[in-house]
Amino acid sequence: MIFESLPTTPTSEELIDQAFSRAARAGRAKSGTQAQQSMLQTASNVLSDNLGNVATEWPDFREVDPFYYELADAIVDVNELRQSLSEVQWASHKTKEIGREYQGRLTGDLETDRKLRKQGFARLASVVEEVEADLERVGEARNALRDLPEIDPDEPTVVVAGYPNVGKSSFVNDVTNARNEIAEYPFTTKGVHVGHFDRDRIRYQIVDTPGLLDRPADERNDIENQAVSALEHLADAVLFVVDASGYCGYPLDAQLELRDALAEQFGDVPVLTVCNKSDLSTGVEADAYMSVETGDNVEETLDAAVEAVGYEPELPFEE
């Protein structure tokens, strides 16, 4: 996942302390003007390099997959983050520039050079303090994004939707090779279920998003709706699970209204209606009927999802 390896973002105070501590050690190794020059060079290099690393460790959002872009934007506001990264990059260049400026102003007179070095240190600290809020924003964004569950936008993906208690998670658990991964997104406290299954040596991803695709759009907040927009880039097919028996606690009409709204929102992505609990009722027109409880027609339903995805792997060119 593109955000998981992001390093910890230092605070402005940590950066200044580190730079000046290392500068002091460098200065003790020399004397006179050479010591002042070494201190300026060390301090400016430490600040410039560390600030530059903060900015360059992040991916270029212009090249990020639309799924991850929308997902990140739902959580941290990508435009604000990019602005902060730009400010940190400016500070990196500025601290390097200040270091060179003050090294070039050294005169050879020790007292004068000490004053110049102190002035240079003050300016370096001022630049870092100027981007204090930007460093905080970048650090908060890193913490919010690095623990997102592993979802590969390049894998063929089935998204499972439907009202609560219709059997979505039970279905995902049943068809995945191993117990699916469960992780929490910042915009839902119910966790996101990500599982995998294989068909004809092709690995498929199956995603259940409780808290997002189990209620109408007008009941979601803005961040949740933007997260759903991210899923539009991810889904190759949607399985909309309904419970015609009514045991889920939601009227069938309401379930079908949600299905129609999602079908419209997901545009060209195929949406299959799956009637679960078919051992209790099949009273709805559907693309597939199954009962996860009894195991009836579960694999056939998964086959229908694979067919709807229509994934064809790229084969090596043959002469």
Side-chain angles (χ1 to χ4, degrees), residues 144-215:
L145 296 176
R146 69 185 300 271
D147 292 328
L148 288 177
E150 184 73 26
I151 295 180
D152 186 350
D154 294 325
E155 279 190 1
T157 302
V158 177
V159 171
V160 182
Y163 267 90
N165 305 319
V166 296
K168 303 188 303 296
S169 296
S170 297
F171 171 71
V172 172
N173 285 338
D174 192 71
V175 301
T176 51
N177 289 334
R179 189 69 181 178
N180 61 44
E181 173 187 343
I182 301 175
E184 290 186 3
Y185 282 99
F187 37 75
T188 174
T189 59
K190 298 182 181 180
V192 170
H193 305 250
V194 184
H196 299 89
F197 64 92
D198 296 313
R199 279 292 186 277
D200 299 324
R201 297 189 295 276
I202 297 172
R203 189 174 191 249
Y204 290 81
Q205 193 167 235
I206 186 164
V207 181
D208 174 25
T209 57
L212 287 177
L213 298 181
D214 59 3
R215 63 187 189 278

Side-chain angles (χ1 to χ4, degrees), residues 242-245 252 256 275-278 280-286 289:
V242 300
D243 174 8
S245 72
L252 182 58
L256 296 178
C275 175
N276 189 29
K277 307 180 186 178
S278 59
L280 300 177
S281 174
T282 57
V284 62
E285 184 177 346
Y289 298 86

Side-chain angles (χ1 to χ4, degrees), residues 10-287:
T11 65
S12 58
E13 184 177 357
E14 289 170 341
L15 283 173
I16 292 170
D17 287 346
Q18 180 186 14
F20 291 170
S21 294
R22 289 180 58 180
R25 290 198 298 271
R28 287 195 293 269
K30 298 181 180 180
S31 61
T33 293
Q34 283 190 339
Q36 309 309 307
Q37 189 274 338
S38 180
M39 292 172 73
L40 282 166
Q41 183 176 20
T42 299
S44 66
N45 284 348
V46 169
L47 291 174
S48 180
D49 291 348
N50 281 292
L51 289 164
N53 288 339
V54 168
T56 57
E57 287 291 335
W58 282 81
D60 185 343
F61 279 97
R62 293 171 297 184
E63 300 176 0
V64 168
D65 184 276
F67 165 71
Y68 274 125
Y69 185 100
E70 292 273 1
L71 199 60
D73 199 36
I75 300 168
V76 301
D77 191 325
V78 167
N79 285 337
E80 287 188 2
L81 173 58
R82 290 179 66 186
Q83 181 61 38
S84 287
L85 290 170
S86 177
E87 292 297 324
V88 171
Q89 188 67 65
W90 165 83
S92 172
H93 294 315
K94 190 66 178 177
T95 50
K96 178 69 74 174
E97 177 185 308
I98 289 171
R100 289 172 176 168
E101 175 189 342
Y102 277 85
Q103 288 176 71
R105 290 172 60 181
L106 297 176
T107 65
D109 178 75
L110 182 56
E111 287 305 313
T112 300
D113 292 345
R114 280 176 176 166
K115 291 179 181 179
L116 286 169
R117 190 261 303 163
K118 290 179 181 179
Q119 290 175 11
F121 273 22
R123 286 190 60 191
L124 289 170
S126 178
V127 168
V128 178
E129 289 167 353
E130 191 171 339
V131 295
E132 179 178 2
D134 296 293
L135 288 168
E136 289 179 1
R137 181 176 293 115
V138 172
E140 290 169 357
R142 177 258 187 192
N143 293 339
L145 296 176
R146 69 185 300 271
D147 292 328
L148 288 177
E150 184 73 26
I151 295 180
D152 186 350
D154 294 325
E155 279 190 1
T157 302
V158 177
V159 171
V160 182
Y163 267 90
N165 305 319
V166 296
K168 303 188 303 296
S169 296
S170 297
F171 171 71
V172 172
N173 285 338
D174 192 71
V175 301
T176 51
N177 289 334
R179 189 69 181 178
N180 61 44
E181 173 187 343
I182 301 175
E184 290 186 3
Y185 282 99
F187 37 75
T188 174
T189 59
K190 298 182 181 180
V192 170
H193 305 250
V194 184
H196 299 89
F197 64 92
D198 296 313
R199 279 292 186 277
D200 299 324
R201 297 189 295 276
I202 297 172
R203 189 174 191 249
Y204 290 81
Q205 193 167 235
I206 186 164
V207 181
D208 174 25
T209 57
L212 287 177
L213 298 181
D214 59 3
R215 63 187 189 278
D218 58 8
E219 295 181 18
R220 306 184 203 119
N221 61 40
D222 290 342
I223 293 176
E224 290 169 336
N225 276 320
Q226 192 162 351
V228 174
S229 295
L231 290 171
E232 293 174 32
H233 297 287
L234 182 71
D236 296 300
V238 175
L239 289 185
F240 190 89
V241 182
V242 300
D243 174 8
S245 72
Y247 275 87
C248 67
Y250 298 93
L252 182 58
D253 287 347
Q255 296 180 58
L256 296 178
E257 285 179 10
L258 178 58
R259 177 203 61 185
D260 293 343
L262 287 177
E264 182 176 354
Q265 183 167 5
F266 277 72
D268 295 332
V269 176
V271 177
L272 302 185
T273 303
V274 177
C275 175
N276 189 29
K277 307 180 186 178
S278 59
D279 53 319
L280 300 177
S281 174
T282 57
V284 62
E285 184 177 346
D287 298 290

